[in-house]
Amino acid sequence: MAIINDGFSTTINFGQGATVVEKTVTAPGLSGGGEVDTTTMGNTTWRTRNPKALITLTEASATVVYDPAAYTSLIALLNVNASIVVTFPDTHTLTFYGWLDEFTPGENTEGEQPTAEIVIIPSNHNAGVETAPVYA
């Protein structure tokens, strides 16, 4: 197993030509969704619980720089379920279905590069068919 020693250069590709460039990337995480409380009046000392059956691929996000002309391509990406690829510095990829949920420009100030925050929500389905993320 290889450990990534530097986050440079992690990218997110929407496959549809969004004109943004990543400064920082937070890849999606994994969540078991918490517990199912199985405690009953038959318990004598301990509350009991079990893991849920389904898992969640959590949101991904990035801080990006952008050309204001990107608004056109970003509007076309909002709420459109599509294949999204996160490429890690070691060239491994995580491919999943999801959509661009938010594009929030930051404050523009003199002497600093304007940035925006994007949020991507994984859907885990392609045309209604449950589709797991693929790490390759």
Side-chain angles (χ1 to χ4, degrees), residues 57 81-84 95-99 120-127 129 131-133:
L57 187 65
N81 192 53
S83 177
I84 297 170
T95 303
F96 60 95
Y97 280 87
W99 67 89
I120 298 160
I121 298 179
S123 68
N124 299 316
H125 73 83
N126 178 16
V129 176
T131 306

Side-chain angles (χ1 to χ4, degrees), residues 7 14 43 45 49 62 117 122 127-128 130 134:
F14 292 96
N43 288 73
T45 304
R49 52 193 167 190
E117 300 296 320
E130 187 174 290
V134 176

Side-chain angles (χ1 to χ4, degrees), residues 14-97:
F14 292 96
Q16 298 181 21
T19 51
V20 297
V21 178
E22 304 87 339
K23 286 187 76 80
T24 65
V25 173
T26 302
L30 302 169
S31 172
E35 78 273 359
V36 175
D37 186 349
T38 59
T39 306
T40 68
M41 292 300 174
N43 288 73
T44 58
T45 304
W46 295 96
R47 288 180 185 85
T48 55
R49 52 193 167 190
N50 283 329
K52 290 186 178 177
L54 301 178
I55 56 176
T56 300
L57 187 65
T58 64
E59 293 180 356
S61 62
T63 300
V64 299
V65 295
Y66 64 98
D67 179 332
Y71 275 95
T72 301
S73 61
L74 291 166
I75 289 168
L77 291 172
L78 280 171
N79 296 338
V80 175
N81 192 53
S83 177
I84 297 170
V85 180
V86 175
T87 303
F88 296 97
D90 64 357
T91 70
H92 282 94
T93 59
L94 180 67
T95 303
F96 60 95
Y97 280 87

